Amino acid sequence: MEYLKQKLPETTGPEFFEFLKGLTAKDLKVYAISEGSVVFPRTPLMRVEGPLPVVQLVETTFLTLVNYASLVATNAARYRIAAGNNIKLFEFGLRRAQGPDGGLSASKYAYMGGFDATSNVLAGKLYNIPVSGTHAHAYVTSFSSLSDLSVRKIKKADDHTIEVDLVDRALEYRTQVAELLHILLEESNDGELAAFVSFAIAFPQGFIALIDTYDVLRSGLLNFCAVALALVEVGYQAKGIRIDSGDLAYLSVRARETFHKIAELYKLPWFANMSIIASNDINEETIISLHEQGHKIDCFGIGTHLVTCQRQPALGCVYKMVEVNGNPRIKLSQDVEKITMPGKKEIYRLYGTDGYALIDLLQRSCEPPPKVGTKVLCRHPFQESKRAYVSPAKVESLYNIYWKDGKICHPQPSLAEVRDHVQKSLTTLRQDIKRNLNPTPYKVSVSDELYSFIHELWLQNAPIGELF
């Protein structure tokens, strides 16, 4: 209060500050669409009711909570659609995010949108998100030769009293694999091999190597396979590789071919199915292109384009007054898209007989809800000729009340439950609505009564011009 007193004009009366001291949210009512639900432009995500000063004060809070979260979750869901259900997605965006707070939010809502894990350990701790990642290029370049290794031995998985020199075993396997792959040993980097050995000793049960520090095919892949085979002797299975540069489709194919050759030669079936993780500034178009090229990648690590949402860096959700003391309010604009739809409303999702969502319908709250099997007229809010009758096979009311009388009054699902709801919600949309190129626009309509109400109020409030 003291800070506000310093910043507000001296003419501000003391009763205003007393009013602020007594403000609470107990008189607010908050209706919202369930978190994780698919929504579309012109669909009101929330309806907030209460005393005007309080409703206005929470505007920025709601917008900052909804805008970025919805943007990242939507972006993540689009990546999941592009990648398909059989490829894992890891969020690697903390270094590119909008500060540490933005990084945490991005990790949380990327997981909600369909990603499988995050490299953000704090997000994993706070939100119970699976954590996954690899070492950095700096880890590899910090080793110059095998003499840099301070620890060379590893204990066997089934007998910790027995230690094996992992370097000696890796060197022997490197010679064998180089002959199999027709690679000159002189082209492989000993510092890289030292880094892989060191990492394998530290993480024998989760050994994933970043193999593009020097040369993927002539050094990185060779050194990884050598260490992976050496780990087999002590009872461990390597997990896979990450490629962070170059021709990802071609390199992934060559890597998979190598894994199959080694699996066959050494009678290790699991070796053929090790993970190939690809990163390097990946976006939706990259994933689609890689699919077309027949890649062999089974996991994408995505950072910059995911957390900064470079395709659309901001979501333009707005918070508009539509009714005061029972009197409707409308905001007019020469840009029709910015005209608000007045009055208290309900929203319903109407489904066809095939189970897919057909259309969202906004109605005035005083109207009876649509019924299954009963024809309802759905209209474009501003284009008179765009209208259609719909006989829904299923009607879903989208609003739930979440806050009333100062209390949360609706069960709060866990992050994992919301994540599942995202995928279930996406399955209710036809594929042509979800496709990347030229998607079919999903229709958000108004009832005939609401249409007439909007246009009547529009005419009442629009000034009449005069020609001279």
Side-chain angles (χ1 to χ4, degrees):
M1 284 302 160
E2 292 304 316
Y3 176 76
L4 290 176
K5 289 178 181 178
Q6 295 172 19
K7 296 301 177 182
L8 290 174
E10 294 181 359
T11 54
T12 305
E15 62 274 9
F16 175 70
F17 298 103
E18 291 301 316
F19 167 75
L20 290 180
K21 286 181 181 179
L23 275 183
T24 71
K26 66 180 179 62
D27 294 323
L28 284 183
K29 291 181 182 178
V30 179
Y31 298 80
I33 298 174
S34 298
E35 192 169 20
S37 299
V38 174
V39 291
F40 300 92
R42 287 209 168 275
T43 300
L45 306 184
M46 304 172 67
R47 189 177 79 220
V48 183
E49 303 174 6
L52 183 58
V54 182
V55 169
Q56 289 181 319
L57 276 174
V58 297
E59 173 179 355
T60 300
T61 299
F62 280 145
L63 283 176
T64 194
L65 289 172
V66 169
N67 267 316
Y68 185 64
S70 300
L71 185 67
V72 174
T74 299
N75 205 24
R78 292 178 64 95
Y79 277 102
R80 170 51 66 199
I81 292 170
N85 294 325
N86 297 323
I87 291 179
K88 289 188 177 296
L89 296 175
F90 293 165
E91 179 267 311
F92 283 176
L94 182 57
R95 299 179 184 183
R96 302 288 190 270
Q98 293 89 337
D101 294 336
L104 276 175
S105 295
S107 298
K108 177 180 180 180
Y109 294 108
Y111 180 67
M112 180 185 293
F115 273 58
D116 297 288
T118 178
S119 62
N120 186 342
V121 177
L122 181 57
K125 176 179 182 294
L126 293 176
Y127 306 126
N128 197 31
I129 301 172
V131 177
S132 186
T134 65
H135 60 75
H137 289 111
Y139 185 83
V140 177
T141 56
S142 67
F143 291 84
S144 300
S145 67
L146 292 169
S147 62
D148 290 339
L149 286 167
S150 58
V151 178
R152 296 169 56 103
K153 294 183 178 181
I154 184 172
K155 295 177 181 178
K156 296 191 71 173
D158 58 354
D159 188 347
H160 286 187
T161 64
I162 301 176
E163 291 187 331
V164 175
D165 191 312
L166 199 64
V167 176
D168 287 345
R169 302 308 305 138
L171 286 171
E172 181 175 335
Y173 279 116
R174 186 166 71 166
T175 301
Q176 296 175 18
V177 175
E179 183 177 348
L180 173 68
L181 302 179
H182 307 292
I183 298 173
L184 295 175
L185 274 177
E186 293 77 11
E187 293 183 312
S188 59
N189 188 286
D190 283 349
E192 183 179 58
L193 179 64
F196 290 175
V197 168
S198 173
F199 198 73
I201 291 173
F203 299 99
Q205 294 174 323
F207 177 52
I208 300 175
L210 179 58
I211 66 170
D212 70 318
T213 303
Y214 300 109
D215 188 286
V216 171
L217 299 179
R218 291 182 290 180
S219 181
L221 189 58
L222 174 62
N223 283 328
F224 167 77
C225 291
V227 176
L229 288 169
L231 280 176
V232 173
E233 289 193 5
V234 291
Y236 295 104
Q237 291 184 6
K239 298 299 183 183
I241 58 173
R242 177 161 76 98
I243 306 171
D244 191 49
S245 61
D247 187 332
L248 298 179
Y250 172 73
L251 293 174
S252 70
V253 170
R254 290 291 302 275
R256 185 65 70 198
E257 289 173 350
T258 299
F259 292 165
H260 277 279
K261 287 179 182 178
I262 292 175
E264 184 177 352
L265 179 64
Y266 292 95
K267 309 301 181 189
L268 299 170
W270 60 267
F271 208 102
N273 299 316
M274 280 195 297
S275 293
I276 299 176
I277 304 170
S279 47
N280 187 29
D281 220 23
I282 289 172
N283 58 27
E284 279 184 78
E285 286 70 25
T286 306
I287 295 174
I288 293 168
S289 175
L290 287 168
H291 284 334
E292 293 170 349
Q293 296 173 62
H295 71 83
K296 297 299 180 182
I297 298 161
D298 42 29
C299 178
F300 289 110
I302 305 172
T304 304
H305 288 279
L306 172 66
V307 302
T308 64
C309 303
Q310 288 187 350
R311 188 168 184 170
Q312 181 183 326
L315 189 65
C317 285
V318 293
Y319 184 92
K320 296 297 181 183
M321 182 190 301
V322 294
E323 187 175 283
V324 177
N325 297 325
N327 299 311
R329 290 292 183 265
I330 186 171
K331 181 207 174 287
L332 300 180
S333 172
Q334 290 183 339
D335 183 355
V336 174
E337 292 300 315
K338 292 189 176 182
I339 296 175
T340 60
M341 288 185 280
K344 184 177 178 181
K345 296 175 290 295
E346 304 295 335
I347 182 165
Y348 302 92
R349 185 156 292 167
L350 310 184
Y351 293 82
T353 54
D354 57 4
Y356 290 120
L358 285 174
I359 196 168
D360 284 0
L361 176 65
L362 274 66
Q363 293 189 167
R364 299 184 68 191
S365 292
C366 58
E367 294 183 68
K371 297 179 180 179
V372 171
T374 301
K375 187 185 297 184
V376 58
L377 179 60
C378 299
R379 305 193 64 164
H380 188 286
F382 304 114
Q383 296 183 29
E384 186 175 12
S385 62
K386 289 190 174 182
R387 52 189 178 169
Y389 284 109
V390 177
S391 296
K394 174 186 172 184
V395 176
E396 180 185 8
S397 177
L398 295 186
Y399 276 153
N400 293 302
I401 185 165
Y402 282 87
W403 181 267
K404 184 181 178 182
D405 299 326
K407 297 178 182 178
I408 295 172
C409 53
H410 194 276
Q412 298 298 292
S414 67
L415 183 59
E417 289 171 334
V418 175
R419 182 174 182 269
D420 290 340
H421 180 58
V422 170
Q423 298 309 312
K424 290 177 182 176
S425 186
L426 285 169
T427 62
T428 66
L429 301 181
R430 298 194 315 267
Q431 189 59 41
D432 60 300
I433 294 172
K434 297 183 287 186
R435 66 191 176 205
N436 179 270
L437 183 63
N438 297 324
T440 301
Y442 183 85
K443 297 173 180 63
V444 177
S445 66
V446 298
S447 67
D448 193 44
E449 183 174 335
L450 180 55
Y451 176 87
S452 299
F453 182 69
I454 292 169
H455 287 262
E456 180 181 346
L457 201 63
W458 187 351
L459 291 176
Q460 290 176 8
N461 288 271
I464 300 175
E466 184 176 356
L467 300 178
F468 295 94

